[in-house]
Amino acid sequence: MIRTAEHTALADSARRFVDTHYDPAVHRARLSKPQPFDRVRWQQMAEFGWLGTAIDDDAGGSGLDFSYLSVLAEALGPALMREPFASQTALAGHFLQRAAAGTARDALLERWLTGEMLAAVVECGPPDADGPVSQVAMNVIDCGVADVFLVVDEASPDAARIVASDAPGVSVTRHTTIDGRDLGNVEFMAEALAGDGIVEFRGGVRAALAEARALYALILCSESLGVARALVRTTCEYVHERQQFGAAIGSFQALQHRLVDMLLACTRMESLVELARGAADTAEFSLVGATIDRMVLGTIEGARRIGREAIQLHGAIAITDEYVVGHCVRRLTANEILLGGTGAVLERLADTTERARASSRH
């Protein structure tokens, strides 16, 4: 991907926003509060137009390429924010944009773009055979902060049902990830799904959901790259300040080699994210699945290495609550979990490779 002046300007504005509003001490204070995230900050992001970065201009967004959204997520990464930027831009905004234009979709998207409403995609299994008829979804991202649920189930392959989070028959069990983001389980009784509010998807709701998840992976990896860069920078500064045996420990050759390893891991992450950005800008997400998966694998591996080295080079101070390193590592670990881990990605890549070989034989 060719980085443009517009990419740079967007990233610079995000970094200024982070420097102004996301001091590490402020982040730690927010983690102790019951409020899931800061609505004022969220409203500011909406006013900046960040939510609509990659939403088509005829739908109320800026109509920019996906790479702009990825660059923005990378710049916001060091904030370690609880505001659900990654999940909402992909699993709410982009998912809604893929729906057929019309009254229901347009009204929801308009409210979402202004920051007034948050949405969560809920993929339900079959009804419960024991007791009252219900549908349950586990580990739903943003379920505790969503105003609206977009329910995807087997009964409606071309539509998602619109259900208000406070509707009768909706039960939310909320918990958080290890870095404080919103997650939980949602149960829908029969009366909650009896309404007629739907958004239709001409290409099928599953295809739209798969694309939204691919975009979510790109944004999460971009965020992880931003956090990894911050860890490398913080670690370099620390080892050149920390004195041992009358000299800065950064002057010891063994530690210099470990810093270089961290920098190389970060550079590999950057290359994979840049490759995925370029692919997302020039092709349909359905055609770049293998590129996205390779980016995910490389990001997970690089983040693990950088997080491990940052803790080792800082020593015990790294895992104290008062120091930013431990919070960064938690964010990287949480992103790995949200990305699904390496097992599922390796299976998908194996399937893709096998299909390609079968195709070539024919």
Side-chain angles (χ1 to χ4, degrees), residues 259-277:
L259 288 174
V260 170
D261 287 342
M262 291 178 70
L263 183 59
L264 288 173
C266 192
T267 301
R268 284 193 291 270
M269 289 174 63
E270 179 181 0
S271 298
L272 290 166
V273 171
E274 288 284 353
L275 184 62
R277 284 171 181 164

Side-chain angles (χ1 to χ4, degrees), residues 231-242 259 314:
L231 270 179
V232 172
R233 182 172 60 252
T234 299
T235 305
C236 285
E237 292 171 355
Y238 178 80
V239 300
H240 285 95
E241 294 173 359
R242 176 78 166 87
L259 288 174
H314 277 85

Side-chain angles (χ1 to χ4, degrees), residues 56-67:
D56 291 342
D57 50 10
D58 60 2
S62 300
L64 298 175
D65 289 336
F66 294 119
S67 59

Side-chain angles (χ1 to χ4, degrees), residues 237-253:
E237 292 171 355
Y238 178 80
V239 300
H240 285 95
E241 294 173 359
R242 176 78 166 87
Q243 297 287 316
Q244 190 75 34
F245 306 116
I249 62 175
S251 64
F252 303 150
Q253 190 175 61

Side-chain angles (χ1 to χ4, degrees), residues 213-214 217-218 220-222 224 265-277 279 285-303 339 341-357:
R213 285 173 172 163
L218 174 60
L220 278 182
C221 288
S222 302
S224 290
C266 192
T267 301
R268 284 193 291 270
M269 289 174 63
E270 179 181 0
S271 298
L272 290 166
V273 171
E274 288 284 353
L275 184 62
R277 284 171 181 164
F285 268 104
S286 59
L287 303 177
V288 298
T291 302
I292 295 290
D293 284 339
R294 292 188 186 98
M295 172 195 64
V296 170
L297 283 177
T299 297
I300 290 174
E301 179 186 356
L339 287 165
T342 58
V345 180
L346 286 169
E347 287 182 9
R348 287 198 301 271
L349 280 172
D351 290 342
T352 300
T353 302
E354 184 57 34
R355 287 196 300 271
R357 287 174 178 170

